Amino acid sequence: MKTVIEPFRIKSVEPIRMTTQEERRELIRAAKFNLFGLHSDDVLIDLLTDSGTGAMSVGQWAAMMRGDESYAGSPSFYRFEAAVKNLMPFRHVIPTHQGRAAEAILFSIFGGAGRNIPSNTHFDTTRGNIEASGAEAYDLVIDEGLDPQSPYPFKGNMNLERLEVFLVEHGDSVPCVMLTITNNAGGGQPVSLENIRATAALARRHDKPFFIDGCRFAENAWFIKQREPDQANRSIPDIVRDCFAEADGMTMSAKKDAFGNIGGWLALNDDGLAEQARSHLLRTEGFPTYGGLAGRDLEALAQGLAEIVDEDYLRYRIQTNTYIIDRLDALDVPVVKPAGGHAVFIDARKWLGHIPPLAYPGQALAVALYELGGIRGCEIGTVMFGAHPDGSESPAAMDLVRLAFPRRTYTQSHADYLIEVFAELAKRKDSLTGYRITEQPRLLRHFTCAFEPL
Ligand code: F0G
């Protein structure tokens, strides 16, 4: 059969509060045209993020009842630790409340003024933690990764030539090499096993520890299985183990590929580094057998890790994006191709060519999707990246809108509805206007700034 069905039944539901276009026009106006300002029960389909927003399984809810809340040595921790080590065989696994807490700990060790840290593309919080320590963050993704139309199968790959030059040039000031799988900031695009191995080998040759930001490791492994020579007959857990066997450590947001609503970890092999990390953890997160989490959260993650590597799930997960991208493509909506792991990215600058970048075409599209269809996405463009510390502003490299899919949460009819909203919008897109920012904070303006239509 060609139809890929959702590989689950629904036992418990969250009603969606239906709203009309008129109501939504008022609601978004009241939120000053900033989608982060909406109440989420005024949203029909919430594609703001895939982080912590997924549905947990019966197995996870059942496991939560087993959660042991002992301050030290909880059996829930040992089940969590075993589940992580089963896929990522690091010597030390340190739980944290989410991914950025693991990053903060890692860069309290590796960061600092004068240090330079390369990755394919650092996620915002990773970059934020590096820069807050005084170090500098560099993105060295391959050129195909910056071209929305390139069909290259592994657009998240590290540019190895640039990394080599970088390591020679920056020498001792480089404390580690990072790699984000999948490359979220670059469209959820995967990194090949070959590229992971080559990046690790290069780091080793220069005597640098190699760390993976593994948030979407299972989606990445699925792409490796589908697209990389000689991987088609291998199991997902085997591919995952091969990826992490190359690394000296990892940071993880368990709100993504561990099916958690909260959670994360830092894992590493080096005993000395682990000791430093644990003493930081004790100060900021909690005792090393719970980090920033409850015992029940650790149980949910242990079970989630067993479920996320299921091939029926991963096939359905990636097929959802492919299904939507193929149909948007047929409507001539410019989408980032090929389909990434967790989100569909629309090239708003191209689609709304009549709105100049400094009038925020991504914001115009995101607001229109909400008004017309009650869909909440996220502008990833000039609103997010266009403001500079000196108060000036320039267009970002791209003006995209990200529609990120919570795991196991929406069904194909939600996808069909989304496609219908785009078909309707296609008819009236030339009448959309740009926006102007009327109030903004100094940093991370996209979360709270106020807009006015032009
Ligand atoms: N690394 C990557 C690649 C991420 O996508 C995220 C979060 C983090 C680290 C930080 O993890 O949220 O648990 O602290 N990404 C979310 C998103 C917020 O919407 O893409 P966290």
Side-chain angles (χ1 to χ4, degrees):
M1 297 297 162
K2 284 202 285 296
T3 307
V4 177
I5 62 170
E6 286 87 7
F8 48 80
R9 297 185 298 182
I10 297 167
K11 175 173 334 227
S12 179
V13 298
E14 276 184 286
I16 292 174
R17 192 177 81 78
M18 302 309 267
T19 49
T20 63
Q21 274 189 57
E22 290 65 45
E23 286 172 306
R24 292 192 294 268
R25 267 198 282 276
E26 277 317 302
L27 290 162
I28 192 70
R29 177 175 299 279
K32 299 184 176 159
F33 299 97
N34 188 326
L35 292 124
F36 286 96
L38 292 170
H39 291 209
S40 61
D41 52 2
D42 293 332
V43 175
L44 297 186
I45 301 185
D46 203 348
L47 308 180
L48 189 61
T49 179
D50 66 321
S51 182
T53 49
M56 291 212 299
S57 66
V58 281
Q60 287 181 287
W61 284 110
M64 283 182 89
M65 285 305 292
R66 201 167 60 173
D68 179 308
E69 306 302 341
S70 302
Y71 190 91
S74 159
S76 300
F77 169 74
Y78 293 105
R79 276 192 281 274
F80 160 80
E81 186 190 41
V84 175
K85 286 188 173 181
N86 176 45
L87 292 171
M88 296 118 178
F90 294 110
R91 277 168 60 74
H92 303 278
V93 178
I94 298 171
T96 58
H97 78 276
Q98 58 184 84
R100 64 199 72 183
E103 293 163 5
I105 294 173
L106 185 65
F107 298 115
S108 74
I109 301 170
F110 282 153
R115 299 264 174 94
N116 295 296
I117 303 173
S119 181
N120 49 350
T121 313
H122 293 283
F123 182 66
D124 329 6
T125 58
T126 322
R127 174 174 285 277
N129 274 300
I130 290 172
E131 290 174 352
S133 79
E136 280 196 60
Y138 296 82
D139 297 335
L140 306 179
V141 74
I142 56 168
D143 293 344
E144 290 87 341
L146 299 173
D147 172 5
Q149 299 309 314
S150 162
Y152 193 73
F154 291 103
K155 289 167 77 171
N157 279 359
M158 177 76 90
N159 184 326
L160 297 163
E161 292 79 41
R162 283 185 70 196
L163 179 61
E164 173 99 70
V165 170
F166 183 92
L167 290 170
V168 171
E169 244 171 42
H170 292 280
D172 287 344
S173 73
V174 182
C176 64
V177 172
M178 297 275 309
L179 191 66
T180 311
I181 66 171
T182 57
N183 187 19
N184 179 11
Q189 298 292 328
V191 181
S192 70
L193 181 54
E194 186 190 17
N195 189 262
I196 293 174
R197 288 188 167 136
T199 304
L202 196 50
R204 255 194 311 274
R205 222 165 36 249
H206 288 263
D207 219 11
K208 308 294 182 196
F210 172 51
F211 275 73
I212 295 178
D213 172 341
C215 292
R216 299 177 179 87
F217 72 88
E219 291 166 6
N220 200 76
W222 177 257
F223 284 121
I224 289 174
K225 186 176 165 85
Q226 302 306 307
R227 298 180 183 173
E228 195 158 340
D230 304 325
Q231 299 296 324
N233 296 323
R234 305 194 55 223
S235 78
I236 295 293
D238 280 347
I239 295 173
V240 171
R241 282 182 208 113
D242 279 2
C243 295
F244 289 96
E246 296 294 322
D248 299 293
M250 70 180 294
T251 55
M252 177 73 188
S253 168
K255 302 170 76 171
K256 283 80 166 180
D257 275 359
F259 283 134
N261 295 133
I262 196 72
W265 65 83
L266 170 64
L268 22 76
N269 284 330
D270 186 272
D271 296 344
L273 286 178
E275 194 184 314
Q276 283 183 63
R278 286 203 179 95
S279 54
H280 192 285
L281 185 87
L282 275 163
R283 215 157 19 88
T284 58
E285 293 280 294
F287 191 75
T289 59
Y290 72 87
L293 296 169
R296 56 179 170 273
D297 298 325
L298 294 167
E299 293 281 358
L301 300 182
Q303 177 63 23
L305 284 173
E307 295 176 7
I308 199 85
V309 291
D310 175 51
E311 295 197 7
D312 292 328
Y313 161 73
L314 288 168
R315 181 176 300 107
Y316 137 81
R317 171 78 173 155
I318 305 306
Q319 177 61 23
T320 304
N321 288 347
T322 311
Y323 180 88
I324 295 169
I325 280 182
D326 288 351
R327 281 155 187 80
L328 293 185
D329 202 27
L331 291 171
D332 283 330
V333 178
V335 283
V336 175
K337 288 190 274 191
H342 66 296
V344 169
F345 289 73
I346 300 42
D347 186 345
R349 186 179 294 175
K350 187 156 181 213
W351 205 40
L352 305 181
H354 62 289
I355 302 180
L358 291 178
Y360 316 126
Q363 190 63 22
L365 176 55
V367 171
L369 286 172
Y370 177 71
E371 287 182 345
L372 183 62
I375 294 160
R376 176 158 71 167
C378 184
E379 192 265 8
I380 300 200
T382 304
V383 176
M384 196 179 271
F385 301 119
H388 306 299
D390 64 1
S392 67
E393 187 181 30
S394 62
M398 297 189 272
D399 278 297
L400 303 178
V401 170
R402 182 182 82 166
L403 305 173
F405 291 87
R407 292 169 181 77
R408 303 189 294 205
T409 303
Y410 293 111
T411 64
Q412 184 168 335
S413 71
H414 295 105
D416 287 335
Y417 171 83
L418 170 81
I419 293 154
E420 190 182 340
V421 170
F422 269 97
E424 194 51 43
L425 198 55
K427 296 180 204 155
R428 49 177 106 165
K429 73 181 177 71
D430 294 335
S431 67
L432 296 183
T433 59
Y435 283 81
R436 158 177 111 71
I437 292 181
T438 54
E439 291 160 47
Q440 58 184 307
R442 231 171 47 76
L443 284 175
L444 295 172
R445 67 175 179 178
H446 58 284
F447 289 123
T448 54
C449 65
F451 298 91
E452 195 174 78
L454 289 170

